[in-house]
């Protein structure tokens, strides 16, 4: 389990399964490719690489700032770990 995964628990719940807010997605058991793509998109959005009207823009003020601090290796490690958690 990457140390960075602990940051996810405040909003996504322990193990990414239970959330306190229905608008916060469950992230456990999603595909590795999907999770990494979402984190990369949020990182790009934080740096203004995509316009606000772009179809591929993934924007959330908290997640964008978190993703901005992630390296490519961090994103890969998080996506690998979260994709292995059970979907329940």
């Amino acid at each position: 389990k990457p140390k960075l995964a602990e940051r996810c628990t405040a909003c996504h719940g322990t193990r990414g399964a239970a959330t306190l807010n229905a608008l916060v997605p469950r992230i456990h058991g999603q595909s590795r490719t999907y999770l990494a793509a979402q984190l990369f998109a949020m990182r790009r959005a934080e740096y203004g690489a995509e316009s606000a009207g772009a179809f591929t823009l993934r924007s959330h003020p908290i997640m964008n700032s978190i993703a901005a601090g992630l390296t490519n290796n961090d994103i890969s490690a998080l996506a690998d770990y979260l994709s292995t958690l059970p979907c329940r």
Side-chain angles (χ1 to χ4, degrees), residues 3-4 6-7 10 13 16 32-34 44-45 52 55 65 76:
K3 185 87 171 144
L4 285 170
E6 293 174 10
R7 292 184 188 177
R32 184 213 177 284
T33 302
Y34 172 79
R44 285 191 310 272
F55 180 72
S65 64
S76 181

Side-chain angles (χ1 to χ4, degrees), residues 2 4 32 72-82:
L4 285 170
R32 184 213 177 284
N72 290 353
N73 288 338
D74 293 337
I75 290 173
S76 181
L78 282 170
D80 285 343
Y81 171 71
L82 293 169

Side-chain angles (χ1 to χ4, degrees), residues 2-88:
K3 185 87 171 144
L4 285 170
E6 293 174 10
R7 292 184 188 177
C8 307
T9 62
C11 298
H12 294 280
T14 57
R15 299 186 51 176
T19 61
L20 301 175
N21 181 331
L23 299 176
V24 177
R26 292 183 173 146
I27 54 177
H28 66 291
Q30 296 284 352
S31 82
R32 184 213 177 284
T33 302
Y34 172 79
L35 291 166
Q38 296 311 302
L39 287 169
F40 281 120
M42 288 177 207
R43 188 172 71 180
R44 285 191 310 272
E46 178 68 11
Y47 290 115
E50 296 179 9
S51 68
F55 180 72
T56 58
L57 180 67
R58 186 73 178 170
S59 184
H60 185 278
I62 295 170
M63 280 304 306
N64 291 0
S65 64
I66 291 170
L70 299 176
T71 67
N72 290 353
N73 288 338
D74 293 337
I75 290 173
S76 181
L78 282 170
D80 285 343
Y81 171 71
L82 293 169
S83 67
T84 65
L85 297 177
C87 295
R88 42 189 155 90

